[in-house]
């Protein structure tokens, strides 16, 4: 079954489906829990337990496995939550910026996104400047992902797609 069909089966429609289809290819789908080495804490020195489409949290434990449908349900639930946070932070966004900023918030956290200057610009209605601001969100664990030596170039590709969707230059 295709990812889109699984997401629809999990209840995704409209903005949630659009954002989930933007997010999923960049997160990748891993149906068993793994330690994400990019997110280390004192409690999880090897990395935070992560599964499916980048899901983390107290219900994700090492050694668990998930079905494709469970992963789709988790993605849809989390995208709904993040979309609500984006709508609260930046009310009235047009469809393209809304999908792009939901993807960005899913990746960096809605609280972080809402503290960025690009969120201020979106709230002021300057969507062109807000979309351009996506280009500046390219650091992971203090590393500039524009430098190929840092091994995180996927972030730059993701930001390029988010900006294209934000500006209406790419299919949502």
């Amino acid at each position: 079954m295709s990812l889109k069909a699984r997401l629809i089966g999990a209840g995704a429609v409209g903005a949630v489906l659009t954002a989930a289809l933007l997010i999923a290819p960049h997160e990748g789908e891993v149906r068993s829990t793994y330690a994400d080495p990019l997110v280390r804490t004192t409690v999880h020195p090897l990395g935070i337990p992560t599964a499916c489409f980048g899901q983390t949290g107290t219900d994700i434990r090492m050694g668990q496995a998930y079905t494709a449908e469970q992963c789709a349900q988790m993605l849809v639930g989390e995208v709904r939550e993040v979309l609500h946070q984006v709508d609260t932070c930046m009310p009235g966004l047009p469809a393209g910026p809304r999908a792009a900023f939901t993807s960005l918030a899913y990746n960096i956290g809605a609280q972080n996104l809402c503290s960025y200057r690009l969120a201020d610009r979106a709230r002021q209605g300057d969507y062109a400047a807000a979309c351009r601001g996506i280009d500046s969100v390219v650091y992971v664990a203090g590393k500039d992902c524009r430098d190929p030596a840092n091994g995180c170039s996927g972030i730059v590709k993701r930001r390029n797609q988010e900006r294209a969707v934000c500006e209406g230059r790419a299919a949502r």
Side-chain angles (χ1 to χ4, degrees), residues 16-125:
V16 171
L17 180 60
T18 300
L21 288 171
L22 178 58
I23 291 165
H26 294 289
E27 291 291 335
E29 182 178 16
V30 180
R31 295 185 192 154
S32 58
T33 309
Y34 63 95
D36 186 341
L38 292 177
V39 189
R40 298 173 195 247
T41 66
T42 54
V43 176
H44 299 288
L46 300 177
I48 290 180
T50 305
C52 294
F53 295 99
Q55 274 67 40
T56 60
T58 56
D59 54 334
I60 305 293
R61 292 180 184 79
M62 295 304 293
Q64 289 179 302
Y66 301 90
T67 66
E69 290 73 25
Q70 288 172 314
C71 286
Q73 289 170 352
M74 284 194 280
L75 176 61
V76 168
E78 193 165 341
V79 169
R80 278 193 182 114
E81 209 174 285
V82 172
L83 181 64
H84 174 73
Q85 293 168 334
V86 168
D87 286 345
T88 300
C89 168
M90 296 178 275
L93 289 173
R98 191 174 184 219
F101 294 137
T102 300
S103 175
L104 184 56
Y106 186 96
N107 186 233
I108 68 168
Q111 258 189 321
N112 290 331
L113 172 64
C114 292
S115 71
Y116 279 37
R117 183 160 173 85
L118 68 86
D120 293 334
R121 290 179 171 151
R123 285 189 288 269
Q124 294 163 359

Side-chain angles (χ1 to χ4, degrees), residues 15 19 54 56 62 132 137 156 158:
T56 60
M62 295 304 293
R132 282 192 307 273
V137 189
V156 176
R158 181 178 187 149

Side-chain angles (χ1 to χ4, degrees), residues 37-40 138-145 150 152 155:
L38 292 177
V39 189
R40 298 173 195 247
V138 291
Y139 292 85
V140 172
K143 296 179 182 178
D144 185 342
C145 295
N150 286 330
C152 52
I155 291 294

